[in-house]
Amino acid sequence: MTPTSIIVGAGAAGMMAALTAAGRGVPVLVLDAAGTVGGSLNISSGQLSAAGTVLQRRRGITDSPDAHYADVMRISRNTADPALVRLAVDNAARTLDWLTENGMEFLPEHPVEGFAHEPYTAARYYWGPDFGRSILRVLRQAFDAQVATGRITLSLNTTLTGLVLSGRRVTAVTARTPGGVRTYPATSVLLATGGYNANPELFRELSGHPAYGGNSYPHNTGGGLEAARRAGAALRGHENYLSSFGVVMDRPGLGAKMEFRHVHHPQDRAPWEIYVNTEGRRFVAEDEPSVDAREHALLEQPELRRYVVFDLRVLRESTPMITGRTNDGLRDLFDVHPMFTSARTLEGLAARTGLPVGALAATVTEYNTALGSGPDPFGRRHRPVPLVEGPFYAIRVQGASVTSTVGLAVGTDLRVRDTTGEPFANLSAAGELLGSGQLMGKSFCGGMMATPAMTFGLLYGRALAAEAGGRR
Ligand SMILES: Cc1cc2nc3c(=O)[nH]c(=O)nc-3n(C[C@H](O)[C@H](O)[C@H](O)COP(=O)(O)OP(=O)(O)OC[C@H]3O[C@@H](n4cnc5c(N)ncnc54)[C@H](O)[C@@H]3O)c2cc1C
């Protein structure tokens, strides 16, 4: 077999890299463990961010990569990697404009500021009506066109198992295929195998927390990261683990799937209920407007878990607290669904949820007393009613992650660095394999996973073509 440029992983980063290189005349071999392309875009929300785009100009929005960079570094409190963030935001408009030119459908009012994550200072947040699949449709069209020309050779159901090295040069990759283990000689390798959330052991090792959520792409078990680590690659971002403020899972235990969303953004619904941790204690002002502040508060709580506690009056009078359901419609779930519990008294609620009875009662009493007599101990402002009218209710909400924090160390040339800081000669990495901890630090910045994945793929494809002396 003739050595070739190999791209491992056909998700956002790998597809963009392959179609960009192939579009410039460079043949590539793309390997993917799954039976289809697209990776996480098949399930992702696909929310993108980019500054200085055609769409922004059309809507008269003034923005710049400098402002985007300043926002990411502010939101992440300078925990993101400055050089990689710079590379991502300086080139993000290329990605967005490419998607626009190639017919991506964005929601009509986009870009928006958005507050699912800490808001940006400009409207630079975009997504399509079909979320990640809106992006995938556009990538797929361009990708398939290059498969048809023969410049992309696609091998599905092909799982990378190792890298063959000569010094710091990769000479081949090994992969498991339906026909057995094969060796593919390589002139260069881009690893774009995504995160490791579908590998609970690796998740626990790298994040320091159990993998509570099972909502990630099932093929993303960290194969690329492990192969590179065995070859001597350095990892970065361990210190930046952060979980979401939580979702309602379909069941207790690890690997559970997200089933319901608690409406916790006070911008959507000012909370009537209180949040307690597994010790029955409050830990944050429930109406804290900064989602980043709420996420960091939850990160300090045992098992990254909170219980939303309220009484009958809240159920009856407040606006819906679970997305897609009326509060009245929740009655069917209590004491049927394992995450929804009710009891006539607070003591009964504690017994049924496993919360410490004394602590829960004291917490509710303290909240009610402060409401009648002075400021809330956590500085909460929206305190419409005391929690006094039984029955009482608890919804168990779990902090979880859909992306991976730790990733391969790379320079701005995307070359993988070994543990001494030296680059491998022809081994690069892009996408979630770099870890959220490098691109967003210890925070969530809107669109700073999917957009950099495609952007770095695009930059890699161009560099590969330039190296090959292909058509630019
Ligand atoms: C539910 C969810 C919601 C999200 N929402 C957003 C969002 O709104 N905005 C945002 O910016 N980001 C979001 N993300 C993250 C973002 O979608 C991903 O980080 C991004 O799509 C990753 O692209 P990638 O190319 O690096 O990896 P992926 O798209 O995951 O592709 C990796 C590919 O590698 C393959 N692979 C894995 N291991 C191997 C192996 N050993 N050998 C061969 N192939 C292998 C996989 O099959 C897969 O096709 C979300 C993620 C999820 C799961």
Side-chain angles (χ1 to χ4, degrees):
M1 206 174 180
T2 323
T4 188
S5 296
I6 297 180
I7 294 172
V8 190
M15 287 178 85
M16 191 61 131
L19 69 89
T20 304
R24 285 163 173 71
V26 178
V28 292
L29 170 64
V30 178
L31 312 178
D32 198 288
T36 186
V37 298
S40 298
L41 287 180
N42 289 290
I43 53 171
S44 170
S45 310
Q47 298 175 329
L48 306 173
S49 59
T53 64
V54 168
L55 285 181
Q56 284 181 318
R57 282 198 292 280
R58 273 188 209 152
R59 292 202 42 216
I61 296 162
T62 308
D63 197 8
S64 68
D66 283 351
H68 193 177
Y69 175 82
D71 272 349
V72 173
M73 298 314 284
R74 168 184 57 83
I75 292 168
S76 72
R77 297 186 191 83
N78 294 316
T79 53
D81 182 290
L84 290 182
V85 173
R86 194 84 250 185
L87 186 70
V89 301
D90 282 353
N91 293 285
R94 289 189 192 196
T95 302
L96 233 295
D97 291 348
W98 183 89
L99 289 168
T100 308
E101 281 158 26
N102 284 275
M104 169 147 171
E105 187 187 355
F106 291 97
L107 288 173
E109 69 280 14
H110 284 212
V112 294
E113 282 183 25
F115 53 79
H117 300 303
E118 207 61 17
Y120 286 128
T121 51
R124 68 168 80 95
Y125 207 16
Y126 326 58
W127 58 96
D130 208 12
F131 305 99
R133 288 181 299 276
S134 294
I135 302 168
L136 181 53
R137 261 196 292 280
V138 180
L139 282 181
R140 183 137 204 181
Q141 211 174 14
F143 185 87
D144 286 351
Q146 293 301 335
V147 172
T149 67
R151 284 197 285 264
I152 293 178
T153 304
L154 175 63
S155 181
L156 295 172
N157 302 305
T158 304
T159 306
L160 173 82
T161 52
L163 302 169
V164 182
L165 284 118
S166 168
R168 287 201 187 87
R169 178 168 290 278
V170 182
T171 57
V173 307
T174 55
R176 204 172 46 246
T177 75
V181 174
R182 287 186 59 179
T183 301
Y184 299 85
T187 50
S188 62
V189 175
L190 174 70
L191 294 176
T193 51
Y196 48 79
N197 282 32
N199 181 337
E201 291 77 32
L202 191 58
F203 186 94
R204 189 189 274 270
E205 179 208 327
L206 296 179
S207 74
H209 292 270
Y212 288 112
N215 280 78
S216 300
Y217 196 58
H219 295 277
N220 286 2
T221 53
L225 184 137
E226 292 281 44
R229 181 157 69 162
R230 282 197 301 277
L235 304 186
R236 283 187 190 153
H238 297 83
E239 67 288 3
N240 284 339
Y241 179 74
L242 185 64
S243 87
S244 72
F245 197 55
V247 287
V248 184
M249 296 294 182
D250 59 354
R251 58 180 172 83
L254 302 185
K257 301 258 190 265
M258 186 197 94
E259 189 170 359
F260 298 104
R261 279 182 198 281
H262 172 232
V263 187
H264 63 79
H265 294 285
Q267 295 87 345
D268 277 335
R269 172 184 176 274
W272 289 47
E273 55 276 5
I274 60 167
Y275 308 154
V276 303
N277 63 14
T278 56
E279 292 162 354
R281 299 182 200 288
R282 290 175 68 210
F283 57 91
V284 71
E286 291 79 359
D287 60 355
E288 163 59 58
S290 162
V291 62
D292 181 69
R294 298 197 301 278
E295 286 157 353
H296 278 265
L298 184 65
L299 191 63
E300 302 304 315
Q301 308 313 312
E303 298 171 70
L304 306 178
R305 187 171 304 153
R306 66 187 164 98
Y307 289 81
V308 177
V309 173
F310 51 98
D311 70 352
L312 178 63
R313 182 166 175 199
V314 172
L315 188 74
R316 196 174 56 228
E317 295 182 19
S318 78
T319 53
M321 62 180 80
I322 294 287
T323 304
R325 291 250 177 172
T326 61
N327 286 352
D328 204 39
L330 297 179
R331 288 174 195 269
D332 297 347
L333 294 170
F334 284 103
D335 308 316
V336 175
H337 191 290
M339 302 299 164
F340 291 76
T341 309
S342 73
R344 228 165 23 80
T345 61
L346 272 176
E347 291 68 26
L349 192 71
R352 288 184 169 190
T353 50
L355 291 169
V357 64
L360 181 64
T363 296
V364 173
T365 303
E366 184 187 47
Y367 175 75
N368 290 341
T369 308
L371 196 159
S373 63
D376 178 72
F378 290 86
R380 172 172 169 165
R381 299 211 186 122
H382 185 257
R383 297 182 290 165
V385 292
L387 307 177
V388 288
E389 187 181 338
F392 293 89
Y393 301 90
I395 304 175
R396 182 173 137 168
V397 179
Q398 183 62 54
S401 319
V402 291
T403 55
S404 299
T405 314
V406 176
L408 295 182
V410 294
T412 51
D413 54 4
L414 302 179
R415 287 277 152 84
V416 176
R417 296 321 200 230
D418 71 11
T419 47
T420 68
E422 287 299 315
F424 286 85
N426 60 347
L427 179 66
S428 305
E432 197 172 320
L433 184 51
L434 305 186
S436 66
Q438 296 202 73
L439 269 307
M440 309 195 291
K442 196 167 185 160
S443 72
F444 295 111
C445 300
M448 279 301 286
M449 295 297 286
T451 328
M454 284 183 282
T455 301
F456 288 1
L458 190 149
L459 294 176
Y460 179 82
R462 287 186 175 206
L464 194 64
E467 259 173 46
R471 184 165 52 81
R472 288 193 65 101

